[in-house]
Amino acid sequence: METHKTSLNWVIASGVVGADIGTSVFYGTGILYPKVGFLAPFFVLFCCMMMWLFKRTYEEGLALSPYNGGAYSMILRSLGRQAAVLAGAMTMVSYLATAAVSALSGAYYLTSLSNNFSDGTVALIAFFPIIFFGLLNARGIKEPAKLVTVIAGFHFLLLIVIAIWGSIYLVGHWEQIDFNKFAQLTPSGELSFAIVMYGFAAAFLGITGFESAAQIVEELEAPQLETIRKLYTTVIILVTLTAPAISLLCLVILTQNEIEQNLSSLLSSLSLKIGGRALLYIIVVDATLTLFAAVNTAYVGFIGLSTTMSKQGNLPRFFIQRFAHKYPSIQGYPLIAVMFMMVSLLMCAFVAGAEGLNTLAKVYEIAFLGVMISFCIGVVLLRNRQIRKDTPTRFLSEWVLSRKEKVIPLIPFISGVILFLAQVILLFSASLGARSLLLQLLALIIIMMAFYRWGVLEQRLEKRNDLRLGTGKFSGKRELPDDLPKFVLCAGGTGARRLIHAAIRRIKAEFCKGSFELVVFHAEVTPDYEGFFHELLQRVVSQQIAPVHQSDDLVLTVKILPGDLVEGLQTLKKSVLYNSVFLGGSPDKNSSELIETIKHDLEIDIYYLD
């Protein structure tokens, strides 16, 4: 596959994903400490180890389905459209919450050096990264990705410096450390099963953003799976080297009183203690920039998901309208970027304030785990579907459980079970307000998509009678067989007669020596209220095609459905079990993306009639 000039290499892709995951050092230990106490670094380390499992799961999933959309695409191919819509809605909630929480958290960090800022002022500051990255992503994802990569690179470099600096400080001030605080490892003084399970679940908040690479796999540098492997390896190593060490240093160097009074800013407190106000200012700037950079990760993930859902008819196709032909500097999807920007701004204004932010953060956590669980389910189910011929098997799990014809890949299965347990714990520990907000956001998104699908598309379904006639031994029969091999020809314009003849010859020569049914199909993008083209196509088939092939045992069908080609073929497959589609002409650069989308969505073969 030729690498497009806008493709993201593994370094830039690592920056996009790492910018979100890298923010966990600012809040991870503070969330864990109230319940698990000084055991927090061990749970952080456990989470880092689990990322290797998730890495293998995502590599396998993207080998099976190397398309944008992440969990949505996996569920679409394994469980169907209805379940995929739920996974897509969950992913949208995750990214919207990511943008709002990251922007507000960055604004709070920036204003933490002074107490003179109101919640309204903080919200206005949070608007800046949302608008800034919205405008940048409207032009394309590569330029903001480069900026974010620089920020993420500086962030991880700074964390390594602080880890080394803190270790030197610890050795030099060993006698001043109050080790008596470790006499009681947990706040309650006990290590119960409930405490362990909470630490296990809360630790996974440190990998939020992990799934973002699955939303942009089509934009990655070829070979995409190697790029995926490199970016995940890079991110996991950087997080493993920094997050547990920073967590441990915060809890060892800071006094118990300093820890309890600064749970939301432990890294800032550590920096102030070991490096003075100069290092504190650097950390505050770094935290602000990194949290703002996580807003870009939300944009990238949402755009990747929305373009896929729009191409498949679950979102209006005008969202993926592009303007590069008129304005070459605008290479992205501006309508999606602007829509995401507006909703994110509304969410920021709605949840401004510590209580609202905490509630939305909990929604973010639950939605994120739901997305990763969905991906794991999709991987397990896809291993039991027909695998594409070009699937690189080296990325598939070798450890499997087999029973009869069913296969369960162990790594994705174990990953899913672990994440599911963490999800159950988070759901039960979440406040009623967080659960209610999550359900409201999910319901709103699903209702909007359902309205589009059912209220706009399904009501436009063609009510005119289809033509279905037989030739040869089927001639004159009132009931035609439904068990014939079925082929679809996409016909439109004035060359229908030539294409139908060419399709029949091709099928008889290469695919089917006996009887078969040819469905002459047309996707009606613009409604033909007068039925002109419908009648024209029926006349061509009945008066010009059928007489020529009257000695052949064929069934000729004319079917016209509203919507674009992708939507029409999806609807057609609900009633016609076909596996092959014929198109006129030859493939070109403009049609290749559409053809790949159709192949991916419908799992069919496409052939051209020159």
Side-chain angles (χ1 to χ4, degrees), residues 434-489:
R435 292 197 293 265
S436 175
L437 180 58
L438 173 64
L439 291 176
Q440 290 173 27
L441 291 172
L442 279 176
L444 179 61
I445 293 174
I446 291 174
I447 289 172
M448 291 177 64
M449 286 191 285
F451 175 81
Y452 170 69
R453 287 293 302 171
W454 302 328
V456 178
L457 177 61
E458 301 299 337
Q459 289 182 9
R460 285 178 54 208
L461 285 177
E462 187 57 60
K463 298 298 190 295
R464 292 187 289 266
N465 293 327
D466 301 323
L467 172 68
R468 193 163 187 249
L469 56 83
T471 62
K473 67 180 181 180
F474 303 123
S475 179
K477 289 190 176 182
R478 303 189 64 177
E479 293 186 5
L480 298 174
D482 292 323
D483 58 350
L484 293 176
K486 293 177 174 59
F487 303 87
V488 174
L489 169 66

Side-chain angles (χ1 to χ4, degrees), residues 191-203:
L191 185 60
S192 64
F193 178 75
I195 291 176
V196 172
M197 294 307 293
Y198 175 84
F200 157 78

Side-chain angles (χ1 to χ4, degrees), residues 186-243:
T186 63
S188 64
E190 300 177 355
L191 185 60
S192 64
F193 178 75
I195 291 176
V196 172
M197 294 307 293
Y198 175 84
F200 157 78
F204 287 111
L205 306 182
I207 61 170
T208 50
F210 191 90
E211 86 294 340
S212 298
Q215 306 294 349
I216 57 171
V217 63
E218 295 178 41
E219 278 71 49
L220 298 180
E221 189 176 73
Q224 281 89 345
L225 291 177
E226 290 296 337
T227 303
I228 287 286
R229 171 171 286 181
K230 290 178 181 178
L231 82 85
Y232 273 137
T233 300
T234 302
V235 170
I236 293 173
I237 290 175
L238 287 173
V239 174
T240 304
L241 288 175
T242 55

Side-chain angles (χ1 to χ4, degrees), residues 483-528:
D483 58 350
L484 293 176
K486 293 177 174 59
F487 303 87
V488 174
L489 169 66
C490 296
T494 58
R497 181 173 62 87
R498 177 183 59 82
L499 282 176
I500 296 172
H501 281 307
I504 293 174
R505 289 195 300 268
R506 179 84 175 270
I507 294 170
K508 292 168 68 175
E510 299 182 21
F511 299 96
C512 187
K513 301 296 183 182
S515 307
F516 61 88
E517 179 175 359
L518 178 64
V519 180
V520 182
F521 171 73
H522 174 63
E524 194 175 79
V525 179
T526 303
D528 179 18

Side-chain angles (χ1 to χ4, degrees), residues 467 469 471 493-502 504-505 520 535-550 552 554 556 558:
L467 172 68
L469 56 83
T471 62
T494 58
R497 181 173 62 87
R498 177 183 59 82
L499 282 176
I500 296 172
H501 281 307
I504 293 174
R505 289 195 300 268
V520 182
E535 294 180 5
L536 174 64
L537 204 54
Q538 286 197 350
R539 286 201 304 270
V540 169
V541 172
S542 61
Q543 298 176 16
Q544 300 181 33
I545 304 299
V548 174
H549 296 278
Q550 59 183 344
D552 297 322
L554 305 177
L556 299 171
V558 173

Side-chain angles (χ1 to χ4, degrees), residues 132-308:
F132 177 72
F133 283 113
L135 296 176
L136 285 183
N137 278 280
R139 298 185 59 186
I141 67 171
K142 189 165 186 178
E143 295 309 315
K146 289 179 179 178
L147 174 61
V148 165
T149 300
V150 173
I151 295 173
F154 172 78
H155 170 66
F156 282 109
L157 178 62
L158 180 61
L159 292 182
I160 292 172
V161 170
I162 291 178
I164 296 172
W165 193 338
S167 300
I168 296 172
Y169 178 92
L170 180 61
V171 173
H173 297 77
W174 185 264
E175 296 179 354
Q176 301 174 21
I177 302 298
D178 179 19
F179 290 101
N180 292 326
K181 59 187 176 183
F182 295 107
Q184 188 170 297
L185 287 177
T186 63
S188 64
E190 300 177 355
L191 185 60
S192 64
F193 178 75
I195 291 176
V196 172
M197 294 307 293
Y198 175 84
F200 157 78
F204 287 111
L205 306 182
I207 61 170
T208 50
F210 191 90
E211 86 294 340
S212 298
Q215 306 294 349
I216 57 171
V217 63
E218 295 178 41
E219 278 71 49
L220 298 180
E221 189 176 73
Q224 281 89 345
L225 291 177
E226 290 296 337
T227 303
I228 287 286
R229 171 171 286 181
K230 290 178 181 178
L231 82 85
Y232 273 137
T233 300
T234 302
V235 170
I236 293 173
I237 290 175
L238 287 173
V239 174
T240 304
L241 288 175
T242 55
I246 295 296
S247 177
L248 181 62
L249 288 171
C250 286
L251 298 185
V252 172
I253 294 177
L254 297 176
T255 66
Q256 189 154 358
N257 187 52
E258 289 171 335
I259 294 171
E260 293 172 354
Q261 291 185 356
N262 300 280
L263 285 176
S264 61
S265 56
L266 287 176
L267 183 54
S268 296
S269 300
L270 175 68
S271 301
L272 178 62
K273 191 160 189 175
I274 68 174
R277 298 197 67 83
L279 185 58
L280 171 63
Y281 289 142
I282 294 174
I283 278 295
V284 168
V285 171
D286 171 66
T288 302
L289 292 177
T290 307
L291 286 162
F292 283 177
V295 174
N296 182 72
T297 305
Y299 268 103
V300 170
F302 189 88
I303 290 172
L305 172 66
S306 297
T307 53
T308 298

Side-chain angles (χ1 to χ4, degrees), residues 333-370:
Y333 295 92
L335 296 182
I336 296 177
V338 170
M339 176 187 66
F340 185 81
M341 178 175 66
M342 298 304 296
V343 177
S344 297
L345 291 174
L346 287 175
M347 290 185 70
C348 269
F350 179 73
V351 303
E355 184 177 352
L357 179 59
N358 290 334
T359 299
L360 187 60
K362 187 62 67 174
V363 170
Y364 169 31
E365 297 158 7
I366 297 171
F368 160 71
L369 287 186

